[in-house]
Amino acid sequence: MSKAPETVFTTSHRVSCDGAGDIRGGAAFKPSALGHPRVWLEIDERGYVDCGYCDKRFVLKGGLADSAQAA
């Protein structure tokens, strides 16, 4: 059974993703070696954006998709 995609809360409308968020190593670590090419994403009026490579979701804090605002 696979785990659900990662959700990251941010205060910026522009975010980058390299797919290696949970994969970290030593001094010689290269993010794209274990993830995907770095892409820049823009959070729109929905309050979130999903990475097209790894499905990681970036949610704008205080935006429409922020679960704290939905309650």
Side-chain angles (χ1 to χ4, degrees):
M1 179 179 212
S2 64
K3 66 179 189 175
E6 182 180 359
T7 300
V8 176
F9 291 90
T10 181
T11 57
S12 175
H13 284 271
R14 187 162 167 82
V15 295
S16 70
C17 183
D18 62 13
D22 292 335
I23 306 169
R24 294 292 175 230
F29 171 70
K30 302 261 190 273
S32 62
L34 299 173
H36 60 69
R38 178 174 290 154
V39 292
W40 290 92
L41 307 164
E42 190 77 30
I43 297 175
D44 63 13
E45 65 277 348
R46 297 175 298 169
Y48 71 93
V49 66
D50 295 329
C51 175
Y53 282 100
C54 66
D55 293 332
K56 184 184 296 186
R57 178 167 284 190
F58 295 89
V59 177
L60 185 65
K61 288 182 182 177
L64 290 175
D66 187 351
S67 60
Q69 295 294 322

